[in-house]
Amino acid sequence: MATKSFHRTDRVSAQLRRDIGQIVHQAVREFGLPSVSVSDVEVTRDLAHAKVFVTALMAEQGPAAVKALKEIAPELRYRLGQAVRMRHVPEIHFHYDDSVDKGERIDKLLRDNPTPPPTDDAND
């Protein structure tokens, strides 16, 4: 029985990621927010809360974007309620997802500091 609820939360998370992604995209244009996209959504097992992870096109705008999204979260939750067929629409909690920024930083470090070719110590 526990595995069924696990799969349900996965399905709900995926659906909410799509729906919240569209709603956030509209809100960015409508409210003039910094450009962000929804990277992931995690819902609690009781489906009462949804952690929404967003990434910013420009990393330095991430904190301002999350702050603005938190301020309009009740409006976005209302829109979500109109878009999905759920008995209870989860509370939306926005968080900044810095994994993309970290990946880009690592990639830049690797490009800027190429590793020297391996030396052949086996013949010494």
Side-chain angles (χ1 to χ4, degrees), residues 8 12 15-16 19 80-89:
R8 179 160 188 238
V12 170
Q15 184 62 47
L16 290 179
D19 293 333
L80 179 63
Q82 294 178 317
V84 297
R85 296 184 56 180
M86 293 176 70
R87 187 173 292 142
H88 300 288
V89 178

Side-chain angles (χ1 to χ4, degrees), residues 33-36 56-66 96:
L33 304 178
S35 185
V36 294
L57 194 60
M58 298 167 65
E60 65 276 3
Q61 293 181 337
V66 170
Y96 188 68

Side-chain angles (χ1 to χ4, degrees), residues 46-65:
D46 62 0
L47 306 178
H49 299 273
K51 266 188 178 180
V52 179
F53 295 92
V54 295
T55 58
L57 194 60
M58 298 167 65
E60 65 276 3
Q61 293 181 337

Side-chain angles (χ1 to χ4, degrees), residues 34-37 54-67 95-105:
S35 185
V36 294
S37 61
V54 295
T55 58
L57 194 60
M58 298 167 65
E60 65 276 3
Q61 293 181 337
V66 170
K67 183 175 185 277
H95 299 275
Y96 188 68
D97 181 0
D98 63 354
S99 61
V100 174
D101 301 337
K102 287 179 182 175
E104 287 175 357
R105 213 167 23 250

Side-chain angles (χ1 to χ4, degrees), residues 12 17-18 73 89 119:
V12 170
R17 185 170 54 244
R18 286 188 292 273
V89 178
T119 57

Side-chain angles (χ1 to χ4, degrees), residues 68-89:
L69 287 169
K70 285 180 178 179
E71 289 172 5
I72 61 171
E75 166 71 16
L76 301 181
R77 182 180 183 217
Y78 174 76
R79 293 181 186 185
L80 179 63
Q82 294 178 317
V84 297
R85 296 184 56 180
M86 293 176 70
R87 187 173 292 142
H88 300 288
V89 178

